[in-house]
Amino acid sequence: MLRPKGLAIDIDGTITYRNRSLNCKAVEALRKVKIPVVLATGNISCFARTAAKLIGVSDIVICENGGIVRFSYDGDDIVLGDISKCLKAAEILKEYFEIEFLDAEYRKSEVCLRRNFPIEEARKILHDAKLDVKIVDSGFAYHIMDAKVSKGRALEYIADELGISPKEFAAIGDSENDIDLIKAAGLGIAVGDADLKLKMEADVVVSKKNGDGVVEALELLGLI
């Protein structure tokens, strides 16, 4: 079993319940971890910045599914994705579906949409449009992203800045948008109620759900 030098962990659905309230057992356990922790989310920067401060573990965050990274509470957003391509893709999808934008005024690297249309059809439409974008399902929303952006690539960026190989990280997640994160890490862990696609890519699947699964994973890693 890998003895990680860093930990990357998804927020939404991993250390929270499905209603997005925090699993306090997971938070208490994470506060005992003595190695660098990177918090990851598909949500916007201001949410991630606030959530990180409330969790009280680390100010290093991956936002917008890897489109933005932050290193400190008072630091700047480092934007890694091109939102212009994503906006063009959304305009194309509007010709086929009634789409609803979410957090549009705050997003800097991607477009977030309500989960009210068939995503596989949308993927085919965007593939045919050749805009170099992708659409992923976080379980809470659909995200149109720059094709080069992912939580995994954001972890690689952060790891380089920290002087730690991404393969020295363990990563924990629950959704399809965490696949690149756990593949970039040296050890990928899925919580018990994770998306089936993520479980298939994970090195380890713990038995317990969301935050309780996080506690199980941290015990397995010897971090608490």
Side-chain angles (χ1 to χ4, degrees):
M1 180 70 68
L2 175 74
R3 295 290 296 179
K5 294 183 179 180
L7 177 69
I9 183 165
D10 172 60
I11 297 176
D12 318 86
T14 301
I15 60 175
T16 73
Y17 299 101
R18 291 301 301 176
N19 65 4
R20 293 193 171 182
S21 63
L22 280 170
N23 182 311
C24 293
K25 293 179 184 177
V27 173
E28 290 173 7
L30 283 168
R31 288 175 178 171
K32 297 175 184 177
V33 173
K34 302 303 182 185
I35 58 176
V37 175
V38 177
L39 298 167
T41 179
N43 220 312
I44 55 179
S45 174
C46 58
F47 167 90
R49 178 173 181 253
T50 303
K53 187 57 69 180
L54 292 173
I55 291 165
V57 173
S58 172
D59 288 335
I60 305 173
V61 291
I62 295 169
C63 323
E64 297 189 16
N65 294 298
I68 294 175
V69 298
R70 297 180 57 88
F71 287 92
S72 66
Y73 182 77
D74 294 320
D76 296 325
D77 289 342
I78 300 170
V79 181
L80 304 178
D82 181 357
I83 195 172
S84 64
K85 295 189 290 187
C86 304
L87 290 168
K88 289 178 183 177
E91 288 300 312
I92 290 173
L93 292 185
K94 283 172 68 174
E95 298 175 13
Y96 298 87
F97 312 112
E98 290 188 13
I99 64 173
E100 181 181 350
F101 290 85
L102 303 174
D103 306 321
E105 65 270 39
Y106 302 113
R107 293 197 178 259
K108 300 178 181 180
S109 72
E110 66 167 27
V111 170
C112 187
L113 303 173
R114 182 86 58 197
R115 297 170 77 243
N116 60 356
F117 58 88
I119 191 170
E120 292 302 331
E121 288 185 31
R123 282 175 173 154
K124 185 177 186 307
I125 292 165
L126 295 182
H127 177 267
D128 292 343
K130 298 180 179 179
L131 290 175
D132 197 32
V133 298
K134 58 188 174 183
I135 182 167
V136 301
D137 184 0
S138 67
F140 296 96
Y142 294 153
H143 303 259
I144 303 176
M145 303 162 55
D146 186 329
K148 71 176 184 291
V149 163
S150 72
K151 289 184 181 180
R153 290 189 179 179
L155 177 61
E156 291 169 356
Y157 183 99
I158 290 170
D160 184 63
E161 291 292 317
L162 296 179
I164 305 171
S165 167
K167 294 304 178 184
E168 295 177 301
F169 274 79
I172 309 172
D174 79 303
S175 296
E176 177 185 333
N177 64 333
D178 297 320
I179 290 175
D180 287 331
L181 181 70
I182 68 167
K183 290 175 73 174
L187 183 73
I189 302 174
V191 293
D193 55 341
D195 183 273
L196 180 58
K197 292 179 181 178
L198 183 76
K199 287 182 175 181
M200 292 175 66
E201 297 288 348
D203 300 298
V204 176
V205 179
V206 295
S207 61
K208 295 180 181 177
K209 298 179 180 180
N210 55 68
D212 293 334
V214 171
V215 176
E216 182 182 350
L218 297 180
E219 290 174 342
L220 184 67
L221 292 167
L223 295 177
I224 59 173

